[in-house]
Amino acid sequence: MANLKEIKLKIGSVKNTQKTTKAMKLVSSAKLTRTRQLSEQARSYAAKINDVLSDIAARVSTAHEGGNISRAFVSNDNPKTVDIVFVTADKGLCGGFNMSTIKTVSRLIAEYKSKGINVRLRAAGKKGVEYFTFQKFSLEQKVSDLSSAPDYDRAADFINAVVEDFRNEVTDKVVLVYNGFLNMLSQEIRVRELLPIGLDNIEAKKSDSMLEIEPDDDEEVLNELTDKYIDFNMYYALIDSLAAEHSARMQAMEAATKNAKEKVNSLTVEYNKARQAAITTELIEIISGVEALK
């Protein structure tokens, strides 16, 4: 059995860890509140831009006798090259948050390669960059300080390179993968086909729509709106992922704090037993000494 001093040092160390994990939980809770508010605002904007894009795309498609004038709206069931854009955290200590995204990306890579499709990776987040770099997988694009501090302009710069390759027919499909916020207790892996944009559920709007576009400008307006749509979806993915990260870290730190408390209780019991054994040993020695003097 360990001596009293060693056990006491262990108790002190675990208590310090418990204070740290509890503080980290509180910090993540405060950050989550702010990020959720931003996410809700972004979600409302995303819904509006999706409606406008659907309206204009449907009008353009109808005007061109059912055809699509932009490659961004042409479905491709047999892509040759796919860009997978994924988001992970810049930091750890958030349970299985990062590994869930990494496992999903790895699964997609295996699926595409089994079909003979070339896969390129574009990573936002230090943990994802580190993992695939360690696995000797070439990253087409990487950034390590964007997922922890989402910024619209930087998100747009990041995704613009992806869109440019798509428009130049370097790639045929763009897939976005991230771990999104579901609720305070859980996160959800989201896999979205960012490009091409599906028009299966888009129908032409009636003439009472507030949107009025000159026929000669429809392609220009559609391309501009498509860029905004892609940029904002990337930005929203970063915000949603950050909210999920804070939620996951809260749970991880709560579990760590609980485990630390249980460990302190266990060590305290061990300390009391060791102390009792030491006292008993001393009493036996005293009694033995007294008996020897008789």
Side-chain angles (χ1 to χ4, degrees):
M1 184 177 291
N3 61 47
L4 293 175
K5 185 176 181 181
E6 289 177 351
I7 298 175
K8 199 169 184 178
L9 287 173
K10 286 181 181 179
I11 292 174
S13 176
V14 175
K15 282 185 176 179
N16 289 336
T17 300
Q18 184 180 11
K19 291 178 182 177
T20 302
T21 55
K22 187 175 182 180
M24 290 180 68
K25 177 191 172 183
L26 294 175
V27 170
S28 292
S29 178
K31 288 183 177 180
L32 175 59
T33 301
R34 294 195 298 268
T35 308
R36 282 187 66 188
Q37 293 174 349
L38 184 60
S39 177
E40 290 171 0
Q41 295 171 0
R43 189 181 298 114
S44 299
Y45 181 85
K48 292 296 182 183
I49 197 172
N50 289 350
D51 288 344
V52 174
L53 180 66
S54 298
D55 194 344
I56 295 178
R59 286 167 175 263
V60 172
S61 180
T62 301
H64 287 259
E65 299 180 353
N68 297 308
I69 59 173
S70 172
R71 187 170 185 262
F73 294 91
V74 180
S75 179
N76 189 339
D77 295 328
N78 298 300
K80 294 181 179 178
T81 302
V82 174
D83 264 355
I84 298 179
V85 182
F86 66 97
V87 180
T88 59
D90 287 330
K91 300 177 182 178
L93 298 178
C94 46
F97 174 80
N98 291 310
M99 281 309 300
S100 295
T101 304
I102 290 170
K103 285 179 179 178
T104 301
V105 173
S106 299
R107 176 178 58 80
L108 288 173
I109 292 173
E111 288 179 2
Y112 284 128
K113 286 191 172 183
S114 68
K115 298 176 183 178
I117 300 172
N118 181 41
V119 178
R120 307 194 310 173
L121 292 185
R122 298 176 185 267
K126 185 177 179 181
K127 292 301 177 181
V129 171
E130 288 178 346
Y131 177 85
F132 284 102
T133 299
F134 180 78
Q135 295 295 325
K136 309 297 182 183
F137 203 106
S138 177
L139 295 174
E140 191 71 23
Q141 189 178 2
K142 57 186 177 181
V143 59
S144 298
D145 58 349
L146 182 58
S147 60
S148 57
D151 177 80
Y152 183 86
D153 292 333
R154 293 188 63 207
D157 289 340
F158 177 79
I159 201 66
N160 281 347
V162 182
V163 176
E164 193 67 23
D165 279 354
F166 180 84
R167 284 182 174 161
N168 292 332
E169 301 186 14
V170 176
T171 58
D172 304 304
K173 182 181 289 188
V174 177
V175 178
L176 178 62
V177 182
Y178 65 96
N179 203 348
F181 179 83
L182 190 60
N183 54 53
M184 295 292 288
L185 298 177
S186 59
Q187 302 79 43
E188 181 180 57
I189 290 292
R190 288 166 187 168
V191 181
R192 296 189 54 197
E193 188 174 308
L194 206 56
L195 287 169
I197 302 170
L199 287 175
D200 295 339
N201 299 320
I202 293 179
E203 297 179 358
K205 305 293 182 181
K206 296 181 180 180
S207 58
D208 59 356
S209 172
M210 296 178 63
L211 294 171
E212 295 295 339
I213 304 173
E214 294 294 331
D216 294 338
D217 296 334
D218 55 5
E219 184 175 356
E220 181 181 350
V221 171
L222 185 58
N223 287 336
E224 182 68 23
L225 191 57
T226 300
D227 288 342
K228 294 294 182 184
Y229 170 84
I230 299 299
D231 292 349
F232 194 81
N233 272 274
M234 183 69 223
Y235 175 61
Y236 177 72
L238 291 167
I239 296 175
D240 198 23
S241 177
L242 184 59
E245 178 192 340
H246 290 320
S247 172
R249 184 168 289 111
M250 276 181 58
Q251 295 176 66
M253 292 302 101
E254 183 177 4
T257 302
K258 182 180 178 180
N259 291 338
K261 183 178 179 180
E262 292 176 355
K263 185 64 176 176
V264 168
N265 291 338
S266 174
L267 287 171
T268 300
V269 171
E270 185 179 347
Y271 176 82
N272 290 336
K273 286 182 178 180
R275 185 167 175 270
Q276 186 177 11
I279 293 172
T280 302
T281 300
E282 289 178 3
L283 286 174
I284 291 173
E285 290 175 352
I286 292 172
I287 293 171
S288 297
V290 171
E291 290 294 329
L293 292 175
K294 290 181 179 180

